Amino acid sequence: MSDNEYLTRSIHDLTAAAWFGGSLMGAVGLNGAAAAAQDPQERTRLSNLGWKKWAPLQAAALVAHGVAGAALIAQNKGRLATQEGVGGATTSKALITVVGAGVTAYSRVLGKKIEKLSDEGAQGATEPRPDASPELASAQKQLKVLQWVIPALAGTVVVLGAKHGEMQRPRNVLQGWLR
């Protein structure tokens, strides 16, 4: 593996890890802490402040992940074409990444809706009050699900990255070519 491939793979893996870890920490830590605020209006406001601070870094991580992924595909085009299983694994990983990035972007759209309606207050960052407007309740209920879907998708991308690494071991490359 050349230094360029090593750097590309490192960027690819670290950005997937940032996406996974940041999303999971936000769901557990940030949203959990915001739910403990005394003022119901502060619960959504504080959660949104944290997610707004994280969003640019997460977006940069997703873009860098995509660029590094494209570079890895280019660097491994021979394996993609000839080694059994590599093309399918690459396609699956790319599709899950695109879906995950779309879900992540949509969650930010929902977060902006919640931010706009934060003066209504809430029981938690993703838990509406019984008297919440239908718009706020809908956005919060969707985010309650997406806050777990996003790290699940990002974690799947990390796992598939590990699978790609294992497929590159000399014995696996040889077996893949022989099949």
Side-chain angles (χ1 to χ4, degrees):
M1 182 183 293
S2 74
D3 287 343
N4 189 38
E5 290 170 321
Y6 180 72
L7 178 62
T8 303
R9 183 171 303 283
S10 296
I11 291 169
H12 191 66
D13 291 350
L14 287 169
T15 54
W19 181 29
F20 171 76
S23 297
L24 190 58
M25 189 283 181
V28 176
L30 177 59
N31 288 350
Q38 295 296 317
D39 181 350
Q41 292 176 334
E42 285 291 291
R43 295 173 189 150
T44 51
R45 190 183 78 75
L46 290 172
S47 176
N48 257 295
L49 282 172
W51 283 111
K52 275 173 53 173
K53 287 185 175 286
W54 171 244
L57 182 61
Q58 182 159 273
L62 284 169
V63 168
H65 182 77
V67 170
L72 285 172
I73 288 170
Q75 291 167 356
N76 290 280
K77 62 183 175 244
R79 284 185 53 244
L80 251 153
T82 59
Q83 185 181 347
E84 184 180 337
V86 175
T90 300
T91 300
S92 297
K93 185 176 173 186
L95 288 172
I96 292 167
T97 301
V98 169
V99 168
V103 170
T104 300
Y106 181 64
S107 73
R108 187 63 202 125
V109 170
L110 292 172
K112 288 180 180 183
K113 280 185 186 180
I114 292 169
E115 179 181 28
K116 185 178 84 177
L117 300 167
S118 65
D119 60 338
E120 290 184 35
Q123 287 187 347
T126 59
E127 296 80 27
R129 293 170 64 164
D131 61 343
S133 68
E135 186 179 16
L136 177 59
S138 174
Q140 285 186 293
K141 287 175 183 175
Q142 289 177 70
L143 269 180
K144 187 175 183 106
V145 173
L146 296 183
Q147 73 179 346
W148 303 111
V149 169
I150 294 166
L153 291 168
T156 301
V157 168
V158 171
V159 169
L160 289 173
K163 179 178 178 149
H164 272 114
E166 286 300 308
M167 293 173 93
Q168 221 169 358
R169 288 180 180 252
R171 74 170 187 270
N172 294 330
V173 171
L174 180 60
Q175 288 173 358
W177 282 340
L178 292 175
R179 283 186 231 160

